[in-house]
Amino acid sequence: MKFVGIGVILLIVGIIAAPTLHMNLLGALLIIVFGFLFVTVSSRLTGEIGSSSNPISGMTVATLLLTCLIFLLVGWTGSGYYVTALTVGAIVCIASSNGGTTSQDLKTGFLLGATPKYQQIAILFGALASACIMGPIIIALNNSATVYVPIAEAAPGLPVVDAPGTLPREGLQGPQAAGDSHVYRVWQKTDLTGGPAGKYLIDDSGKAVWFVDPGINGTHSKRPDGSEVRKFDAPKATLMSYIIKGILSRKLPWALVLLGVMISLTLEMCGVPSLAFAVGVYLPLSSSSPIWIGGMVRWAVDAYHRKKFKDANLTADQLIAEGDKSPGVLLASGYIAGGAIAGILIAFLAGVLAKMDTNIDNWSMAHNPFYHGASSDLLSLLPFVLMCTVLYLVGKEVILKTRK
C-alpha cells in the first residue's frame, strides 16, 4: 500500500502540473475517490463475468454526472471547468479499464501458472505503448479530416473578439495548411450568438477568419476547393459533452434521465437485464444486428453441445463451461480484435491516405458491380455469411480442431 500510495500522489501531481488538462486540487481528489470506487467495480465485474461485460461507459457517465454536480454546488460553471470535468471522467474511465484488464490478465495468468510480477511489468509496458501510440493516431486522423470553413460561409454575422492578444496561437493543420501558412489566434466559442459554437481562428485584430470543423464529429464534409472529406463519428463523445454542458449550464433535460432510470427499474423488477436492454436501445441496428447474429451462432453451438453430452448427465453450469471452452470462443475473440484493427486501418486510409482512398473508390465505381447500386450490400454480406459459417464449424470442431 505504501508503493500504491506514493504512486497515486505522483500521478496526481503530474496531472495537476499538466496545463492542458485544466486540473485543480478538487478535481484531483475526485479522481482518487471515483477511481477507487469504479476501479474496484470494474475489477470485480471483469473477474466474475469478463471484460466484454464491463460497463465502462456507465461508470464514466456516473463519474461525469457526480463531478459536474459537485462543480455546480461550488459554483464552477464556466467554460474552463468543462475541460476539468472531462479530464476527471477520462482518467477515471482509463483507470477503470486498466483495472478490469489487469484483473482479467492476472486471473488468466493464475490459471496458467504465470508469474504475477512479470505480468504486471508487461501490463505497464502495454499501457504505456497504447498511451503513446493512440494519441498521435487520433490527432492525425482528426487533422486529416478537419475542414477550415471560411467565416463568410460559417458565421457571417460573428462580432469582433475583444482582447485577442491573450489567446494562444495556432496555424492550419492538414491538407488546407498548404494554402494558408498564417498563424492565428484560437478562440473557443461556447454560445450560439452570431454563429455555431466551436473553435475559430481569428487574426490579431479580433476578426474571425476560419471556423474549424473537426474531423471527429464534424458536420462539414466539403472543403472550400470542393474536395470531399470523410468524417469520423464518435457518438459517445457527443453524449459526454451533452452531460457536461447540460449540467454546468443548468440545461440538462433531467426528465429524460429520470425516464431512463424508471425504465431500468421496471425492467429489473420484471427480471429483464436493464444493461443489455439499454445497450440494444443505444446502439444502432447496424451495430446490434451482427451482435445478435453472433449470439445465434453461439446458441446453435450450445445446442450441438447439449446433444453431444446428452448422455453425460452434465449440469447447466457444466454445459456452459463446455461452450466456453469451445475453440469458437477463441475465434470470436479474434474476430473482435480483427474488427477493431481493421476499423483503425480503414480510418487511417480514409484520413491520412485520402488520395489513395479516392483512387480506390474511383476504380471500384468503374469496375466493381457490387460497389454501388441495388446489389451493393451483397459485397459485404457474402464474406459476413462465410465468417459466420466458419465460426459455427469451428465451434463444432468440424474444422481447426483443438489438439487432444
Side-chain angles (χ1 to χ4, degrees):
M1 289 305 299
K2 184 186 297 184
F3 179 80
V4 173
I6 294 173
V8 168
I9 293 173
L10 292 177
L11 283 174
I12 293 303
V13 170
I15 291 169
I16 295 176
T20 55
L21 299 181
H22 294 265
M23 187 53 61
N24 50 41
L25 182 59
L26 177 59
L29 293 176
L30 292 176
I31 290 174
I32 296 175
V33 174
F34 294 140
F36 174 79
L37 293 174
F38 290 126
V39 165
T40 305
V41 172
S42 174
S43 178
R44 183 176 180 84
L45 284 175
T46 303
E48 291 183 349
I49 304 174
S51 59
S52 60
S53 301
N54 196 359
I56 292 295
S57 298
M59 291 187 286
T60 305
V61 170
T63 301
L64 289 176
L65 283 171
L66 294 172
T67 301
C68 292
L69 287 173
I70 292 172
F71 282 10
L72 191 63
L73 290 175
V74 298
W76 292 352
T77 58
S79 59
Y81 294 107
Y82 293 2
V83 182
T84 305
L86 179 62
T87 300
V88 173
I91 294 175
V92 172
C93 173
I94 295 171
S96 302
S97 177
N98 282 334
T101 301
T102 302
S103 295
Q104 178 129 316
D105 291 348
L106 292 176
K107 177 181 177 180
T108 306
F110 172 79
L111 296 174
L112 297 175
T115 304
K117 174 183 176 181
Y118 296 133
Q119 281 189 275
Q120 291 176 349
I121 293 174
I123 290 170
L124 287 174
F125 277 103
L128 179 63
S130 63
C132 294
I133 293 173
M134 287 308 300
I137 289 176
I138 294 175
I139 291 173
L141 291 176
N142 183 71
N143 290 340
S144 65
T146 295
V147 175
Y148 294 88
V149 185
I151 205 64
E153 176 185 341
L158 198 66
V160 177
V161 180
D162 296 330
T166 60
L167 300 175
R169 289 184 174 274
E170 182 181 303
L172 275 67
Q173 304 289 331
Q176 286 182 251
D180 188 348
S181 59
H182 291 85
V183 178
Y184 298 96
R185 299 283 182 177
V186 179
W187 177 43
Q188 298 287 350
K189 187 173 178 292
T190 58
D191 55 40
L192 299 176
T193 305
K199 181 179 178 181
Y200 289 83
L201 298 184
I202 62 177
D203 57 23
D204 291 331
S205 65
K207 184 179 178 181
V209 180
W210 297 102
F211 169 67
V212 184
D213 187 67
I216 300 174
N217 279 343
T219 57
H220 291 264
S221 59
K222 209 175 259 192
R223 293 193 176 95
D225 61 0
S227 59
E228 294 285 341
V229 180
R230 185 184 298 181
K231 295 289 187 177
F232 307 110
D233 295 326
K236 286 187 179 180
T238 304
L239 173 63
M240 305 305 173
S241 68
Y242 285 163
I243 292 174
I244 296 173
K245 293 179 181 178
I247 295 179
L248 295 184
S249 64
R250 298 180 177 87
K251 294 180 180 178
L252 185 70
W254 285 103
L256 295 177
V257 177
L258 295 177
L259 178 62
V261 172
M262 295 305 166
I263 292 175
S264 297
L265 290 175
T266 303
L267 289 171
E268 291 292 342
M269 292 172 66
C270 295
V272 178
S274 59
L275 180 60
F277 178 86
V279 171
V281 173
Y282 171 72
L283 291 177
L285 286 176
S286 59
S287 299
S288 56
S289 296
I291 298 175
W292 178 77
I293 294 174
M296 295 299 294
V297 174
R298 173 63 188 261
W299 174 83
V301 172
D302 286 345
Y304 163 76
H305 282 133
R306 285 193 298 269
K307 184 178 180 180
K308 178 181 179 181
F309 297 105
K310 64 179 181 179
D311 298 327
N313 296 322
L314 298 181
T315 64
D317 291 338
Q318 289 174 327
L319 284 173
I320 293 174
E322 288 296 329
D324 290 341
K325 291 188 294 184
S326 168
V329 174
L330 294 177
L331 182 61
S333 302
Y335 279 179
I336 296 173
I341 296 172
I344 295 174
L345 293 177
I346 292 172
F348 184 82
L349 178 65
V352 180
L353 303 177
K355 290 184 178 180
M356 181 184 295
D357 182 59
T358 302
N359 292 334
I360 294 175
D361 284 342
N362 293 336
W363 184 91
S364 300
M365 291 282 289
H367 299 88
N368 190 347
F370 293 101
Y371 192 73
H372 62 93
S375 303
S376 58
D377 289 338
L378 290 176
L379 181 65
S380 57
L381 187 60
L382 291 175
F384 180 75
V385 172
L386 178 61
M387 291 172 63
C388 292
T389 304
V390 171
L391 180 62
Y392 175 70
L393 295 177
V394 170
K396 289 184 60 176
E397 298 191 47
V398 175
I399 58 176
L400 301 179
K401 295 182 179 180
T402 306
R403 292 182 180 180
K404 300 298 182 181

